[in-house]
Amino acid sequence: MTGQPDSLTAMAARGLVVEISQILNESLEIQKKLLKMESKTGEIRQAKLIKDLGISPNTLKIWNEQGLTPINRGGSLFYLLEDLHKFNY
């Protein structure tokens, strides 16, 4: 053994760093978009959230499964902007 990582380990490490970097960049972009959102009630309707953040309904479904809680009012789903900020940090 030479004490240096083999090329497979090095490639895996580089791939992991790239993946983590992409995830952090995506999270930062979401935070930037959230900071621009305004609401008199502090809430945003689900359809507007999906459109304004440029996310898919499936992404929002995953967020809900990970603990983001929508508010159901009159058959429409809303999210508190404060909850969105906390969730995406």
Side-chain angles (χ1 to χ4, degrees):
M1 289 225 143
T2 63
Q4 294 186 2
D6 62 58
S7 60
L8 183 58
T9 302
M11 287 189 304
R14 275 194 303 274
L16 187 58
V17 169
V18 168
E19 186 176 341
I20 291 170
S21 176
Q22 288 172 339
I23 291 169
L24 289 173
N25 284 332
E26 289 170 8
S27 179
L28 180 60
E29 287 303 312
I30 288 172
Q31 282 297 325
K32 286 179 184 178
K33 290 177 183 178
L34 284 171
L35 287 171
K36 292 179 184 178
M37 291 182 180
E38 294 181 19
S39 168
K40 292 178 184 174
T41 62
E43 302 172 344
I44 185 166
R45 188 179 296 267
Q46 177 177 298
K48 182 166 174 43
L49 177 66
I50 289 169
K51 179 183 176 204
D52 289 357
L53 291 185
I55 60 173
S56 72
N58 192 52
T59 295
L60 194 52
K61 179 182 175 192
I62 291 168
W63 290 359
N64 290 337
E65 291 169 355
Q66 293 175 344
L68 183 63
T69 307
I71 299 166
N72 189 336
R73 189 177 314 114
S76 294
L77 294 178
F78 296 82
Y79 292 87
L80 292 174
L81 290 174
E82 181 179 345
D83 289 349
L84 289 160
H85 284 286
K86 289 177 185 175
F87 182 78
N88 281 292
Y89 259 108

